[in-house]
Structures are given as C-alpha cells and as structure tokens.
Amino acid sequence: PTRTLRGRSGCVGGAEGPMASFAAHRPGLAAIIGLLVALALIVFPAIPSPEPPLARPEALRLHHVPPSNGSSSSTAIATAEQSDAAPEVDTTPHGKPVQSTGGSDSTSAGPRPVNICPFYTSRPEWPVMPYPCPTFPVRVEGQQLATEDCDSEVRWRACGYPSEEQPKDVPLPDGEECFIARCGKRFAVVPRVVRRTEGAESTPLHPGEASSCGQPNLLSFMLDSVSWNHFRRTMHQTWDLLQELHNDSRARAYTFCHYSVVGVSSWENQGAAYRHKTRTPTFEHFRSAGYVVSTSIAANEWQEQAQVVELGPYPDRPAWLDHNFVISRRYQDPINYPPMSAHCRGDRFYDELSIQHMDQTLRLYQDVPVAVFGYGEAGHHEEQAFLPHIDKVLAQALRQWYSEGLMQNTISLLWSDHGHMYSTWYKTSEGKLEHRNPFLILLVPPALLRCHPDWAPALEQNQDRRVTAFDIYATFQHLAGNTSCKDQGTGSQYGHSLLCPLPASRTCAEMGIPVQFCRNPV
C-alpha cells in the first residue's frame, strides 16, 4: 500500500512540523533554547529593518486659491494626481489631510508649486513651552542706549571683554557690535551694526530693479538641530510665508527633501558648509569677491562653529569679516550679571539677536553686495519645544524684508546642520531617521532667475537629488564667483553647486556621506 507522509499530530503534512518532533524527543533542550530566545528578545530589542525608499511626493501640488472673504491671504491646497479616480486631498502645512472641495489645476498659469516634503515619522505634533526669557526691552538711539522699563539707573558694558560699567548717557564706543545693558538684576544683550567706511568696493544697485545681473546678495540662516519633519511640525508661520512668497511670485521656493548629513554633530555638518573640510572659509571667498561679510553664527567664541571657521578670540575678527556678532563668556560678572541660561541671552534667545543683527546689516548695506550669515540654537533644547517662538520672529523678519524690497537681489538659504540629537526621541528608530535628514530651503527672487535663466531648471531638477552640506559650500563658492557650472565635479573634493545640474546618481562615497548615514529616508 502507498505510504502517506504524516506529522506527529496525525495530520497530513505535519501541522506542528519539525519543532514539535524536536520537542518531543528532547524536551529539556527545547525548553532551554526557548528560555534563551526569550532572554535575547528582552536584552536585545528588535532592530528595525531599513525602510524602503520613499517615493518623491510628485503627486502633491500646491495651488493658490483666492480667499472667499475677499482678503489678501492665500491657502495652500494639494491635490492627488496619481490617477483619474484618485480623490483630491488638502494637505495643510501642518500635515493634516482634509477633504478638498475640488477645482481644476491652476499651476499651468504659474510657477511649479512648492514641493512638500513628506512626513515619514509618527509624531505630527509637538509640545510648545512658554517663552522663558525675562523681558527687558533696550534699544540703540544714536550713540546711546534707551529704555523705558527700568526704575533704577541703566548701566552698560561691552560684551567682548571685561570692562567697567558705564551710565547709559555715556556714548557707545565705535567698533563694538555687542553691548550688555543692566537694570538691577535684569539685563539685555543689544546688537549694533555700524557701517564701516573701509571694506567692499561700492557697486551700487538700482532700487526696485535688481536686474543689472551683478553680484547677488546672500542671506543664510542656519537653525541648528532641526529636521525636515520638525521644521514642518513647529515652523508653521515660516512655512506658510514661504508658500505665500512663492505663490505671489516674490520669490521662488526650492525645497531639498533629500538633504543628508555627513556626520553626527555640528562640527562635521556646519564645517562641511562653511569650510568644506580644511579648505578656505566660505566667508573669505565672499570677502575676496568684494562683498561686505557679516556673521552671527556662534553664540560664543568657544562654540563649535566658531572654531570650525577660526573666528578667533572676541573682539578680534579675521580680516575677511566686516561684522561679527559673538557674545563672549568672559564678560560674566556673577554679582551684577547672572550667568546666562542655556537659551536666553539676557532677555532673548540668541536666535532673535542674530536675526536683529542680520536686519541691521541688510539695511545698512543696500548699495553694495553683502553676504549675511545667521544662526539659531533654539533647536538644541532637549525637547525642541522653543522653536515656535523663533518661527514667529523669523517669519516676521522675512515678511518685512520682502515687503520693503530688501530681498530683490538676495538669495536666501534657510537650513539646518542635522536633525534632533537629544532626549529619548533621538534614541528611537524614527528619531535617528530625522537626525540624518535636516531641512534645506532656497529662496530666489524672480529678477535673479531672469538674470540667470539656467538656475531655475537646475534648482527644479536638484530638488529630486540627494544633497549634502558639501553642496552648500560649493553653492557659496559659486555665488561668490569663485567657480562656475563647468567647474563642478572636476576636482577630487566633494560638493556640487545647487545652481548647476547635479548628476542623476551620486554614490554616498562620492558625496562624502559615511556609510552609517547612507540610508533612507533621504
């Protein structure tokens, strides 16, 4: 008779399989193996497998929708165009999908809409902490400090070096760009930019028409430790403004969702953007090209980025820096000046002081090429819960600069060096994904795109490419006139200008990305 293969349960094929047979013959050994497996799962939690490549969100399209109430505000609406039967979806800047009311695609009459970088982690919302800095408003009037919020006498001293306090009626000395005003136990840090008579050669620009195709200005604001996802979570006002500027054709916004880190910390990533590895600081390239160079990229002279670009001890500055705003730690007087907190520099965040320093520089130098570099550190808080406060200040400053015509000849870079790297969130698999995908946005006014017709197609294409801080360094070099598109990719060093077409495929080794960061989502 024909023999039938059966398992020990009596069912054809063996419902319990070989493990049941093994357990039946060696029950003691099977129990030991099961105990070891259980212990291993407790001690060594499961490691998530690499995520599959994320599809570029080409289906998301932003449109300008006229408001129904007759106001001048705009609404960003994204429609799904993957198929004829696909429903239309409204994706707000906060990442909350709602059902759309329909409507035709109006993008053919205007510029390509802003690319929306997708959420790839499960935390769409984030807590917000109250503003922690005590209020003490102080301003500069001429050569003196002024305030109406002090019952006692206001006294001041320079930020950069130990000096005696002076009454507020004593004129502020020339050459100093940072002062500390004190009222009792309250104090405020006050930036002041005074135009230098020597410096860049004057190349006047015609107000209202930045079409001479001369040297474009540069504004770079680096917000430390902010991923793309966290920018979308917390920087709502800035994100809304970028879309408004884009839809109103005041500036084209280019988002680089595939921006990757080249190291763990600020040292590697800011160093790649400002100095490459051991090459000439990007500020020196701009200074050699005749730019006025202004920096506020380090909260103190010992911070990593100050060492990366060799700013030197304050108040000394390299010859290629016209303005440098740094608050020295050495000023602190434990009796009259309490130690600064981890975030507040007097009555404000350093981020706010840097934006004020940039504002003063832009207004002073409207007739010469200027390169302004700013820095924000609010993202370094363990829970990153202060960023909405900086979001408000940055959005207000950008809106004012564009409304007053200060940005008609200015390329703006808003970027970060890496994502969040503190607290328990960073230790999760999603937190590590965000760490290696910081945000990067370029704003280019239409006048510059008309002057350089090859920029727009290159930027449109490069949004779909993987980029790094080395490419930011190359872009800075390009803007300073130190390189051109034909020079890109010819050397042995990493980096390729974002204003020139990037190769369709570059390996991580070719871009200088260590193997541990050569993963999705970017």
Side-chain angles (χ1 to χ4, degrees):
T2 303
R3 300 181 63 182
T4 304
L5 294 177
R6 295 177 181 270
R8 290 196 174 266
S9 65
C11 301
V12 176
E16 297 180 7
M19 281 305 296
S21 176
F22 177 80
H25 285 82
R26 298 177 178 83
L29 185 57
I32 294 174
I33 292 176
L35 179 61
L36 291 176
V37 171
L39 289 174
L41 291 176
I42 295 174
V43 176
F44 304 102
I47 300 175
S49 58
E51 293 78 3
L54 288 173
R56 178 70 176 175
E58 292 295 341
L60 295 178
R61 294 286 185 261
L62 287 176
H63 307 293
H64 175 75
V65 178
S68 58
N69 59 2
S71 65
S72 61
S73 62
S74 62
T75 304
I77 293 182
T79 59
E81 301 170 335
Q82 295 176 345
S83 66
D84 294 338
E88 293 189 353
V89 177
D90 178 4
T91 302
T92 70
H94 302 195
K96 300 178 181 178
V98 297
Q99 199 65 26
S100 173
T101 58
S104 60
D105 189 336
S106 61
T107 57
S108 59
R112 174 185 176 182
V114 179
N115 283 313
I116 303 177
C117 298
F119 276 107
Y120 49 82
T121 57
S122 59
R123 290 190 66 170
E125 300 295 338
W126 209 270
V128 179
M129 295 186 66
Y131 191 78
C133 306
T135 302
F136 178 36
V138 180
R139 64 185 182 278
V140 176
E141 291 185 353
Q143 290 291 106
Q144 295 180 337
L145 296 178
T147 180
E148 289 82 31
D149 188 23
C150 182
D151 296 332
S152 59
E153 183 181 12
V154 175
R155 304 183 68 84
W156 63 264
R157 65 189 299 178
C159 293
Y161 50 87
S163 60
E164 294 185 1
E165 284 189 327
Q166 303 292 337
K168 73 172 185 178
D169 296 334
V170 174
L172 303 175
D174 295 332
E176 286 294 330
E177 299 195 354
C178 179
F179 301 93
I180 300 169
R182 181 175 66 86
C183 175
K185 292 296 183 181
R186 295 186 301 159
F187 68 100
V189 177
V190 185
R192 182 197 63 165
V193 179
V194 178
R195 178 163 178 147
R196 300 182 65 181
T197 55
E198 77 280 5
E201 296 181 1
S202 178
T203 55
L205 301 174
H206 300 290
E209 54 167 286
S211 59
S212 61
C213 294
Q215 296 168 290
N217 297 328
L218 170 69
L219 184 143
S220 168
F221 187 69
M222 204 289 299
L223 193 53
D224 205 331
S225 193
V226 180
S227 68
W228 252 120
N229 276 193
H230 206 58
F231 179 87
R232 291 282 310 283
R233 287 191 200 100
T234 59
M235 305 290 286
H236 298 159
Q237 295 188 41
T238 301
W239 177 247
D240 290 345
L241 175 62
L242 299 183
Q243 295 179 91
E244 178 185 323
L245 294 173
H246 185 92
N247 292 334
D248 293 345
S249 297
R250 283 182 285 169
R252 294 289 297 276
Y254 299 95
T255 61
F256 294 82
C257 303
H258 305 283
Y259 173 38
S260 174
V261 299
V262 296
V264 175
S265 66
S266 299
W267 181 271
E268 297 97 335
N269 294 288
Q270 291 188 39
Y274 291 139
R275 195 180 175 83
H276 203 278
K277 281 186 176 291
T278 58
R279 298 169 70 179
T280 303
T282 190
F283 317 113
E284 188 169 354
H285 290 305
F286 281 102
R287 192 64 185 81
S288 300
Y291 281 76
V292 170
V293 180
S294 174
T295 65
S296 53
I297 64 168
N300 60 73
E301 74 273 31
W302 296 329
Q303 203 161 17
E304 285 180 337
Q305 50 268 43
Q307 300 175 39
V308 166
V309 299
E310 298 180 355
L311 291 178
Y314 193 88
D316 299 330
R317 64 171 67 91
W320 35 265
L321 276 183
D322 295 288
H323 300 282
N324 180 29
F325 178 72
V326 177
I327 306 171
S328 176
R329 291 180 178 178
R330 290 174 289 177
Y331 88 88
Q332 293 184 3
D333 177 348
I335 298 178
N336 293 321
Y337 293 86
M340 292 185 180
S341 71
H343 303 286
C344 298
R345 299 298 186 266
D347 67 331
R348 288 179 290 174
F349 285 97
Y350 181 84
D351 313 45
E352 300 173 86
L353 298 171
S354 176
I355 292 172
Q356 183 180 358
H357 190 264
M358 292 192 298
D359 176 81
Q360 294 176 1
T361 305
L362 288 172
R363 296 181 185 282
L364 276 177
Y365 295 101
Q366 298 185 43
D367 58 338
V368 296
V370 61
V372 183
F373 299 85
Y375 171 74
E377 61 177 1
H380 264 293
H381 183 266
E382 183 172 346
E383 292 299 333
Q384 290 191 317
F386 292 137
L387 283 172
H389 303 296
I390 308 306
D391 171 44
K392 179 180 179 181
V393 176
L394 178 60
Q396 289 177 345
L398 287 170
R399 183 181 298 278
Q400 189 171 8
W401 295 336
Y402 276 97
S403 298
E404 297 181 12
L406 297 177
M407 308 296 283
Q408 296 181 58
N409 194 48
T410 302
I411 291 182
S412 303
L413 270 79
L414 307 178
W415 59 289
S416 186
D417 51 354
H418 53 78
H420 194 34
M421 57 183 299
Y422 304 97
S423 79
T424 56
W425 169 246
Y426 168 64
K427 299 176 183 178
T428 65
S429 59
E430 291 186 339
K432 292 184 182 298
L433 282 175
E434 292 202 16
H435 169 264
R436 58 178 181 263
N437 185 208
F439 80 93
L440 171 60
I441 302 169
L442 264 69
L443 290 172
V444 187
L448 285 179
L449 293 177
R450 289 192 296 268
C451 286
H452 305 276
D454 54 331
W455 284 7
L459 288 166
E460 292 280 2
Q461 170 188 291
N462 293 341
Q463 290 183 112
D464 299 321
R465 303 283 192 256
R466 193 172 196 174
V467 299
T468 71
F470 290 122
D471 298 319
I472 295 178
Y473 179 86
T475 306
F476 287 154
Q477 281 194 305
H478 189 179
L479 288 173
N482 197 49
T483 61
S484 62
C485 284
K486 66 180 181 180
D487 302 320
Q488 304 300 318
T490 58
S492 59
Q493 293 286 348
Y494 317 122
H496 194 293
S497 173
L498 300 175
L499 302 175
C500 306
L502 290 171
S505 61
R506 293 186 294 173
T507 65
C508 289
E510 292 172 339
M511 290 187 287
I513 303 176
V515 64
Q516 64 267 34
F517 302 117
C518 188
R519 294 178 57 193
N520 291 322
V522 296

